[in-house]
Amino acid sequence: MAGAGRDAPPRPAEQEYRLSVCSKLCYAIGGAPNQVAGSAAAFFLQIYLLDIAHITPFHASLVLFIGRASGAVTDPVAGFFISKSRWTKIGRLMPWMLACTPFTVVSYFFMWYLPPFVAGRVAWYLTFYCLFQALTTLFQVPYSALTMFLSTDQKERDSATAYHPYALTSDRAIPFCKGLQLTMKHGPYVKLTASFLLISTAVQLEQSNFVLFCTHAADLHNHFQYLVVTILVSAAVSIPFWQKILQRFGKKCAACGISWMIPFAVMLVTIPDLILAYFVAFVSGLSIAASLLLPWSMLPDVVDNFRLQNPHRKGHETIFYSSYVFFTKMSTGIGLGISAAGLEFTGYKPGICKQSSDVILTLKILIGAVPAILIIVGLFILLFYPITEESRKETKLALEVLRRNHKSTENLDEHGEDTLV
């Protein structure tokens, strides 16, 4: 399948490719290592910095925030250069993914390496976490934008995104700064980004503080690794379930599944029972899967909507994806920095077995109350997201008309006929 293997140049309108299961699996496998590394960092980096590297919560907050901020700043920069890239034999996006992968592996290894010196450990982890975040961004932006080039069919793109986690010929490429300005004025994009900015921050807080909570606030330190595995397995196996839900009931309806973690997380905070903890981990995995799948499934719809309103522009795909990742990384970085600073303020002592009651209360708030509030507000904003299943169908039909009209114009031009009416 020529169109799914790489980000191929635009093709005729009527050639809407059906993606094979093999193509979707190949797309998913390509992004799996990056997702696994990101999940490991989300769950374990904070407790590693505190209890293994023995750096203070304040310095850990600096590492987490600055690292995330560096990845966020890299997003629009990556989007700018990728949008200016030329087509190669393996596409426009693939060279970026291939080039950054070996450096990402090296930075990830040293991010978990415990250096023999103590005085410079903060600088060590800050350097390699920043490098890891920046390099994963250089991979994630083109990889995510590749969804738009897999197929012109919306259901096929949604399906490919579910295995993960189009291009129209037009008159001229949109300048990056102009495209960013238009992006920030596009209503559906602003509402989608604002909603998942809060939801992503809630999920990141839940992930990064879960192991700390199990270790110091719930007396589950002998089970936290199994609980994390339960979360990850639940998230992975539930992706097809969420794909069916969003196809049958719509994406906005499927987003309600993100809220499932709220009552169970509150129950775990109030009743730290082992069996309940495993049930909470399972339900949290379901919610995390929905929170990861939906924004990447909804962004292509936003791009289609923008494309319909700006029919003579192209090259805007990476602008949408890079700016979205910028805002979500910035928000999660701020959230992680504040949570780690909160532990410092309440007297967290790295490496000790018994933390103070203030630290335990802080961990309960970071696991229960704060994510609940952020998710509720995020879902409330999503209520005003204007793209429905009906409007998606209307957009698809309108884009098909644009493709046919453009194809007719090309055919007339090729035969030397006057295209002006």
Side-chain angles (χ1 to χ4, degrees), residues 19 26 38 40 52-53 73 109 119 153-154 166 174 198 203 208-209 234 268 280 322 356 371 378 397 402 414 419:
L19 295 176
C26 288
I52 304 299
V73 171
F109 172 81
D153 186 78
Q154 293 171 336
Y166 85 105
I174 186 171
L198 297 173
V203 170
S208 62
N209 290 289
S234 172
L268 180 62
V280 171
S322 62
S356 67
L397 293 174
L402 282 177
E414 288 175 1
T419 59

Side-chain angles (χ1 to χ4, degrees), residues 42-43 46 201-218 220 228 231 261-272 277 280-281 284 288 339 343 359-375:
F43 278 106
Q46 182 167 245
T201 303
V203 170
Q204 190 67 49
L205 285 173
E206 191 87 18
Q207 289 178 315
S208 62
N209 290 289
F210 183 78
V211 177
L212 283 171
F213 172 82
C214 292
T215 303
H216 299 296
L220 297 171
V228 170
I231 293 174
M261 73 167 65
I262 295 176
F264 296 102
V266 173
M267 289 174 60
L268 180 62
V269 167
T270 55
I271 311 171
V280 171
S284 296
I288 290 171
S339 71
L343 293 175
V359 171
I360 293 174
L361 177 62
T362 301
L363 288 172
K364 290 181 177 180
I365 293 174
L366 292 173
I367 284 291
V370 176
I373 293 172
L374 292 175
I375 289 174

Side-chain angles (χ1 to χ4, degrees), residues 213-215 218-225 227 268 272-274 277:
F213 172 82
C214 292
T215 303
D219 196 25
L220 297 171
H221 56 277
N222 292 327
H223 298 271
F224 72 80
Q225 63 268 41
L227 292 169
L268 180 62
D273 179 72
L274 178 60

Side-chain angles (χ1 to χ4, degrees), residues 271-285:
I271 311 171
D273 179 72
L274 178 60
I275 297 177
L276 178 62
Y278 276 100
F279 189 69
V280 171
F282 175 77
V283 175
S284 296

Side-chain angles (χ1 to χ4, degrees), residues 45-46 57-73 75 129 133 196-198 200-205 208-209 324-342 374:
L45 184 59
Q46 182 167 245
F58 175 74
H59 288 134
S61 69
L62 289 180
V63 172
L64 295 172
F65 170 70
I66 297 175
R68 282 276 175 170
S70 67
V73 171
D75 284 303
Y129 187 51
Q133 286 291 330
F196 280 97
L197 180 149
L198 297 173
S200 298
T201 303
V203 170
Q204 190 67 49
L205 285 173
S208 62
N209 290 289
Y324 172 80
V325 179
F326 169 80
F327 289 117
T328 53
K329 278 192 176 181
M330 215 32 148
S331 66
T332 56
I334 293 172
L336 290 177
I338 292 175
S339 71
L374 292 175

